[in-house]
């Protein structure tokens, strides 16, 4: 977890070593694969930690005697903490490096989840979730920043695969939670063990990550400085695109939150499913999301992010719309699965596109998308809870198909093909082209034949 200000020597211009991949920047293939494994482990822990808590929500509601609205407000403390702390992520990454920030944030997130699981009151539950959300927001930006750094060195899209591993972690965490309930483990013991195990995984991953700072940061900072001197600020078109990307990410996060917060509550409360079966609502969502992200890079490379996002919006609208129109336990589980499949590539697409926007300081676009998409997590629990108290949880869950409609309208801002944004590209370290608009200056446009498999 080194945090030196200079890039590691091996990340400079390509050397003549056999094990170095061709391109403008190079690392030994084995070292690059180790870095990819390290990032994947961080995504795994990030998905699993919070998912361990989700099957415990119905029991927490009962023990603390919370109404739907009270429970929704408590859960909303998680994204509220993320909103309060999230904007600090870019500064922390520029100061300490994405690897160190991601690992420490993972450990703190686990501690917050454990505190939430054993909280004896609504106030302490909300406070613990607030702290966990703050740590998670910073971790999220840092691990995605490091993943994008590794992706640039690979020369092809791999970000969806990291998010697929996050889905594996979420399914693993959900199954661990369901298994702990069936085994009769107390929440403290179950979540304490989970916290220790995944903290150890994150610390082990730190030895695999790339040291120091991202060399792309210097080029991006120079371009942002040049833009500021020329125009004073990024053009309005950049901010409009960024706003649309935020809404796309919010749509994805809103659907994820509907599954994590309300799937078990709806299945067990409204449809009468057993607690262990009700846990499968969220598991099915994250499982299908994993499948979508596993094939997402190939689909995006072939059809473009725009077409894939629009298709996903249709799947969310049709799948969850049918599940709510004709409510059954199997149909609802299948509906959550369709929703997870539909939003699989939305957040990675928004993050990657934002990270490529010119005229912004290093990490700014990524941080803003990650920070503002937490609005979906912040608004969804209390809104659905208030609607549920006034009508029913089933009615509140209509926000899911509505999110699919929003994606259909906003997907236009996503590139039709990988790396195509119709805007000047940011130069990367070692680029031969000095002109910002030269397509050859983007690592994302590197042909797959020169990429590490």
């Amino acid at each position: 977890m080194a945090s030196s200000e200079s890039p590691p020597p091996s990340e400079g211009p390509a050397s003549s070593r056999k094990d170095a991949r061709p391109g403008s920047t190079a690392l030994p293939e084995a070292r690059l694969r180790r870095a990819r494994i390290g990032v994947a482990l961080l995504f795994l822990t990030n998905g699993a930690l919070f998912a361990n808590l989700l099957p415990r929500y119905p029991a927490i509601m009962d023990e603390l005697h919370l109404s739907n609205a009270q429970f929704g407000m408590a859960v909303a403390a998680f994204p509220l903490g993320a909103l309060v702390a999230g904007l600090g992520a870019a500064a922390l990454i520029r100061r300490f490096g994405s690897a160190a920030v991601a690992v420490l944030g993972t450990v703190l997130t686990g501690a917050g989840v454990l505190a939430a699981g054993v909280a004896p009151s609504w106030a302490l539950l909300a406070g613990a979730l607030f702290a966990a959300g703050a740590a998670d927001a910073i971790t999220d930006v840092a691990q995605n920043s490091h993943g994008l750094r590794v992706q640039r060195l690979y020369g092809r899209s791999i970000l969806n695969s990291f998010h697929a591993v996050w889905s594996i972690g979420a399914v693993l965490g959900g199954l661990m939670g369901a298994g702990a309930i069936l085994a009769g483990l107390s929440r403290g013991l179950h979540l304490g063990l989970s916290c220790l195990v995944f903290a150890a995984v994150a610390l082990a991953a730190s030895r695999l990550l790339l040291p120091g700072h991202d060399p792309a940061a210097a080029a991006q900072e120079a371009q942002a400085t040049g833009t500021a001197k020329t125009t004073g600020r990024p053009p309005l078109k950049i901010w409009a695109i960024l706003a649309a990307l935020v809404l796309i990410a919010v749509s994805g996060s809103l659907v994820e939150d509907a599954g994590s917060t309300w799937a078990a509550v709806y299945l067990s409360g409204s449809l009468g499913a057993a607690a262990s079966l009700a846990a499968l609502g969220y598991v099915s969502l994250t499982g299908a999301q994993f499948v979508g992200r596993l094939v997402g890079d190939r689909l995006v490379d072939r059809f473009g992010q725009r077409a894939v996002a629009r298709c996903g919006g249709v799947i969310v609208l049709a799948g969850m719309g049918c599940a709510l129109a004709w409510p059954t336990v199997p149909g609802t589980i299948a509906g959550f699965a369709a929703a997870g499949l539909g939003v699989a590539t939305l957040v990675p697409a928004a993050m990657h596109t934002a990270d490529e926007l010119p005229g912004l300081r290093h990490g700014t676009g990524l941080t803003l998308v990650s920070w503002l998409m937490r609005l979906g997590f912040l608004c969804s629990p209390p809104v659905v809870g208030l609607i549920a108290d006034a009508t029913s949880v089933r009615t509140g869950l209509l926000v899911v198909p509505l999110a699919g409609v929003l994606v259909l309208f906003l997907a236009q801002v996503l590139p039709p093909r990988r790396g195509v944004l119709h805007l000047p590209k940011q130069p990367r370290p070692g680029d031969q082209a000095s002109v910002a608009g030269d397509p050859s200056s983007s690592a994302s446009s590197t042909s797959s034949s020169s990429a590490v498999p």
Side-chain angles (χ1 to χ4, degrees), residues 163-253:
H163 286 259
V165 175
W166 183 94
S167 297
I168 293 177
V171 172
L172 175 63
L175 292 175
M176 287 172 64
I181 292 172
L182 289 174
L185 296 182
S186 68
R187 287 199 301 275
L189 177 59
H190 158 222
L191 296 173
L193 290 173
S194 169
C195 178
L196 289 174
V197 167
F198 291 114
V201 172
L203 292 172
S206 68
R207 301 178 61 85
L208 304 177
L209 301 174
L210 299 174
H213 291 259
D214 187 350
Q220 196 167 357
E221 290 290 307
Q223 187 191 52
T225 301
T227 300
K229 289 180 179 179
T230 303
T231 65
R233 58 186 176 183
L236 181 61
K237 182 178 180 180
I238 297 298
W239 293 113
I241 292 175
L242 187 61
L245 293 172
V246 167
L247 289 176
I248 290 173
V250 166
S251 298
S253 65

Side-chain angles (χ1 to χ4, degrees), residues 26-193:
L27 279 176
E29 290 186 10
R31 180 67 186 92
L32 194 52
R33 288 194 180 95
R34 286 179 61 208
R36 183 175 183 178
I37 292 171
V39 176
L41 288 174
L42 288 179
F43 275 81
L44 179 79
T45 61
N46 187 253
L49 278 170
F50 188 62
N52 265 274
L53 179 63
L54 301 179
R56 299 288 191 167
Y57 273 172
I60 291 173
M61 282 186 69
D62 290 341
E63 291 181 17
L64 298 183
H65 307 291
L66 302 178
S67 68
N68 287 322
Q70 288 174 323
F71 174 67
M73 292 297 292
V75 173
F78 187 92
L80 180 61
L83 283 172
V84 170
L87 280 182
L92 289 172
I93 291 169
R94 288 194 291 265
R95 174 66 178 86
F96 299 105
S98 56
V101 173
V103 172
L104 180 58
T106 297
V107 175
L108 294 176
T109 301
V113 169
L114 171 60
V118 298
S121 67
W122 180 91
L124 291 177
L125 172 64
L129 288 174
F130 181 92
D136 179 73
I138 294 172
T139 303
D140 184 48
V141 176
Q143 67 185 13
N144 275 285
S145 178
H146 208 80
L148 287 166
R149 177 182 176 184
V150 175
Q151 176 174 268
R152 282 191 289 271
L153 292 172
Y154 261 76
R156 61 181 173 86
S157 177
I158 61 172
L159 188 62
N160 278 294
S161 68
F162 291 135
H163 286 259
V165 175
W166 183 94
S167 297
I168 293 177
V171 172
L172 175 63
L175 292 175
M176 287 172 64
I181 292 172
L182 289 174
L185 296 182
S186 68
R187 287 199 301 275
L189 177 59
H190 158 222
L191 296 173
L193 290 173

